[in-house]
């Protein structure tokens, strides 16, 4: 096994990890944009009295984006495990050479639901959910 092959394989894995991290970042931006746009558009319109329903409806994309973000973080962790395996074992083995299949490492990382409530995702999505629920409660008792 030459070093050029090892470096190319590591680069491939690192590119996948970077894409997963970028997807996670973009999801957060899209979520905030959608929430702000919907709340801003409904503020001074005829549907103001239905803002309660809009803030509740916004919980659906919030949960969807939260799940997707957790999914991408889960896959990123699997690829990090693949990366570690390649670094530690590639000199001794050509098994799965250039394989980007990370399924064999899924049991080594936390599940998607556990990642959803991790210290990196829960504050962002939990705080956003609390804001939407607070808007709903405020509008119901107003």
């Amino acid at each position: 096994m030459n070093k050029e092959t090892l470096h190319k394989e590591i680069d491939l894995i690192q590119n996948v990890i970077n894409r997963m991290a970028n997807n996670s970042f973009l999801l957060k931006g899209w979520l905030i944009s959608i929430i702000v746009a919907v709340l801003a558009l409904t503020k001074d319109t005829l549907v103001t009295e239905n803002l309660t329903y809009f803030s509740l409806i916004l919980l659906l994309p919030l949960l969807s984006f939260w799940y997707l973000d957790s999914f991408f973080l889960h896959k990123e962790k699997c690829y990090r495990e693949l990366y570690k395996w390649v670094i530690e074992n590639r000199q001794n083995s050509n098994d799965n050479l250039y394989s980007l299949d990370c399924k064999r490492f899924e049991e080594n990382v936390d599940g998607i639901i556990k990642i959803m409530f991790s210290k990196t995702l829960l504050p962002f999505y939990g705080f956003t959910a609390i804001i939407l629920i607070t808007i709903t409660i405020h509008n119901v008792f107003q």
Side-chain angles (χ1 to χ4, degrees):
M1 164 69 52
N2 64 25
K3 288 189 179 201
E4 184 178 323
T5 305
L6 177 64
H7 287 270
K8 183 61 177 169
E9 186 173 14
I10 290 171
D11 284 344
L12 288 171
I13 297 168
Q14 187 60 48
N15 286 337
V16 173
I17 292 171
N18 288 339
R19 281 196 305 270
M20 295 296 159
N22 189 47
N23 289 342
S24 179
F25 177 76
L26 290 174
L27 281 172
K28 289 176 179 77
W30 273 99
L31 176 67
I32 295 302
S33 298
I34 289 170
I35 290 173
V36 168
V38 168
L39 291 178
L41 291 174
T42 58
K43 184 178 181 317
D44 294 324
T45 63
L46 295 174
V47 293
T48 303
E49 60 272 356
N50 294 329
L51 188 60
T52 302
Y53 301 112
F54 280 106
S55 56
L56 282 176
I57 290 170
L58 284 173
L59 287 173
L60 292 174
L62 173 84
L63 291 173
S64 300
F65 280 62
W66 193 351
Y67 177 82
L68 282 173
D69 202 356
S70 302
F71 172 80
F72 286 128
L73 187 54
H74 172 76
K75 291 301 175 194
E76 180 183 335
K77 289 180 177 200
C78 290
Y79 280 103
R80 288 183 187 279
E81 289 293 317
L82 174 62
Y83 184 93
K84 283 193 303 191
W85 184 89
V86 168
I87 294 294
E88 293 169 0
N89 299 303
R90 186 53 68 212
Q91 295 298 329
N92 305 325
S93 170
N94 282 335
D95 293 345
N96 302 310
L97 185 63
Y98 288 117
S99 173
L100 294 178
D101 184 15
C102 67
K103 286 190 185 286
R104 59 193 163 132
F105 300 103
E106 286 185 348
E107 64 227 15
N108 299 347
V109 300
D110 293 334
I112 294 173
I113 300 299
K114 187 170 182 180
I115 291 173
M116 284 180 80
F117 295 97
S118 67
K119 63 182 177 181
T120 57
L121 295 183
L122 182 62
F124 179 79
Y125 291 101
F127 182 69
T128 307
I130 289 171
I131 289 172
L132 291 174
I133 292 168
T134 303
I135 290 171
T136 303
I137 291 170
H138 172 73
N139 288 329
V140 166
F141 295 111
Q142 188 179 21

